[in-house]
Amino acid sequence: NLSWITYTILPDEDGPPVTSFVPPPPPGNIPIISGENKQMVKYGYALPDTITTGRNFEISLDIKPISKSEPMTSIIRLTKTALDEGHYYDRMPAIFFFPESTLVHVVMGRTGDHQAHINPAAELPLKQTSRVKVRLQGNYLTLSINGKEEARLNGFDGYSYPPVDNVTVWVGDQFYQSANAWLLGLNYTILRDESPVPTPAPLPKSTMMFSKPRATSKGYRLTKRFNTTRNFQLCFAITPYSRKPVWRSIMRFTNSDRNLKHYWDRMPAIFFKPGSTEIRAVMGNQADHDSYVESYSGLTLQMTSRVCVRLEGDLFTLSI
């Protein structure tokens, strides 16, 4: 029997600001600089028109470096902030040359790592035009130069920034010396958004899901619509009456019609282990959709126990 269930939404300090979310823009190309209107990279130069970015995108630039510079130099930066680094939307992406080099450095932030970056192996030739493409689609950020993929970074699925409006395009930002280079073309293409990413987190609150005792039963759905969040605490009171030699389901929060190994199958799902009243709580994550914690001992039969699972930051815990 379950006596009550409460679901408490905890502050989501690791998630994007809720106010920043906009509906996904339709796929399509946004020409920013055409070949007829080449642009010299200049310190602190923001283009007059802002754009709306997509979760999945490709940005391509035709660049002609003239000379190398001693410090790190800025080529372009797409941003919604007035900050350099370490925050949501600082670099989405930002593209640089390394010091004393024309080696491209691409930074594309994501949840958990606002400095995620990729670099090619070789420098761009001086006084020649090279086409540089940065593409984020699904799990992968890729960098291609003159049609050849030079670098790839995974780990974006579920962690990439959402679509954002009023994004400023800097051709030479205000934090670094500008690269001595011409841009002969700059295009931003919004790609189809197929990334399985959740909606923004609701505001912190606690919800009593029910407060009268009821028996668990196979296939019983308590509610069809319920907003979850990245950080939460789920507590319930349970009274076990017997042990059985099979896995027994206590409850499951899910946004899928599948059992396991997919996004949103178990968020969380809580079970009694076979032949026991020991608890296993499964909470999927980016790397392992069946990540779990277990109790050290079983619950006492015919005695009510309070059980809580809590996900906050990097830690998923079970307390009884």
Side-chain angles (χ1 to χ4, degrees):
N1 277 4
L2 289 173
S3 300
W4 51 263
I5 302 176
T6 61
Y7 187 99
T8 302
I9 294 171
L10 305 176
D12 187 2
E13 298 178 354
D14 295 325
V18 174
T19 55
S20 69
F21 286 76
V22 297
N29 182 55
I30 304 172
I32 300 174
I33 296 174
S34 67
E36 298 176 354
N37 299 302
K38 65 181 181 178
Q39 174 66 54
M40 189 71 181
V41 181
K42 297 186 291 185
Y43 173 79
Y45 178 65
L47 296 179
D49 296 327
T50 61
I51 66 171
T52 296
T53 57
R55 188 185 306 277
N56 294 328
F57 67 87
E58 180 179 272
I59 187 167
S60 66
L61 55 151
D62 295 327
I63 183 169
K64 184 179 182 180
I66 305 303
S67 65
K68 302 176 183 181
S69 300
E70 184 176 348
M72 176 87 79
T73 54
S74 168
I75 301 171
I76 64 169
R77 177 191 294 253
L78 278 65
T79 184
K80 194 177 169 69
T81 79
L83 305 170
D84 177 20
E85 60 183 344
H87 312 87
Y88 276 95
Y89 314 137
D90 288 344
R91 302 176 174 193
M92 46 190 295
I95 304 178
F96 306 88
F97 282 143
F98 275 114
E100 299 182 341
S101 172
T102 57
L103 186 69
V104 174
H105 178 55
V106 179
V107 182
M108 180 63 214
R110 61 188 180 197
T111 295
D113 184 5
H114 301 299
Q115 295 295 100
H117 62 272
I118 50 177
N119 313 306
E123 299 183 30
L124 302 185
L126 289 173
K127 300 180 181 180
Q128 295 182 33
T129 301
S130 299
R131 173 156 293 182
V132 176
K133 285 188 177 182
V134 178
R135 184 182 183 97
L136 175 57
Q137 188 163 30
N139 197 40
Y140 294 99
L141 178 70
T142 57
L143 170 62
S144 299
I145 297 176
N146 295 326
K148 180 183 177 183
E149 184 175 306
E150 298 286 349
R152 172 176 289 239
L153 178 66
N154 64 8
F156 283 83
D157 219 353
Y159 293 89
S160 54
Y161 292 161
V164 182
D165 62 0
N166 295 317
V167 172
T168 300
V169 181
W170 295 85
V171 183
D173 68 27
Q174 71 273 46
F175 303 106
Y176 298 86
Q177 181 176 313
S178 60
N180 187 15
W182 285 97
L183 286 187
L184 285 76
L186 178 61
N187 286 275
Y188 187 94
T189 303
I190 295 172
L191 306 176
R192 188 175 301 278
D193 186 357
E194 298 176 348
S195 182
V197 179
T199 55
L203 296 176
K205 66 177 182 178
S206 184
T207 302
M208 177 66 73
M209 303 191 68
F210 69 79
S211 57
K212 294 183 179 180
R214 66 178 67 193
T216 57
S217 58
K218 184 176 181 179
Y220 176 72
R221 183 169 58 193
L222 183 63
T223 179
K224 289 181 65 177
R225 297 182 180 274
F226 187 80
N227 290 330
T228 61
T229 187
R230 187 186 308 274
N231 294 327
F232 67 88
Q233 178 171 276
L234 172 66
C235 295
F236 56 94
I238 185 169
T239 308
Y241 287 97
S242 65
R243 301 180 181 90
K244 294 186 179 180
V246 294
W247 286 99
R248 289 176 294 160
S249 171
I250 299 172
M251 70 181 69
R252 177 192 295 249
F253 287 66
T254 185
N255 196 29
S256 83
D257 56 2
R258 296 165 294 191
N259 180 20
L260 73 168
K261 297 189 182 302
H262 308 89
Y263 279 94
W264 328 135
D265 288 344
R266 301 177 173 194
M267 48 190 293
I270 302 175
F271 306 89
F272 281 137
K273 296 171 64 175
S276 171
T277 56
E278 293 179 12
I279 287 179
R280 173 178 289 188
V282 183
M283 181 65 211
N285 59 45
Q286 175 72 18
D288 181 1
H289 299 304
D290 295 307
S291 181
Y292 64 86
V293 292
E294 294 181 339
S295 61
Y296 296 119
S297 59
L299 305 186
T300 304
L301 292 177
Q302 301 184 38
M303 180 178 291
T304 301
S305 299
R306 182 179 187 269
V307 178
C308 289
V309 293
R310 184 182 181 97
L311 177 60
E312 190 166 20
D314 288 337
L315 297 177
F316 184 53
T317 57
L318 168 65
S319 60
I320 299 174

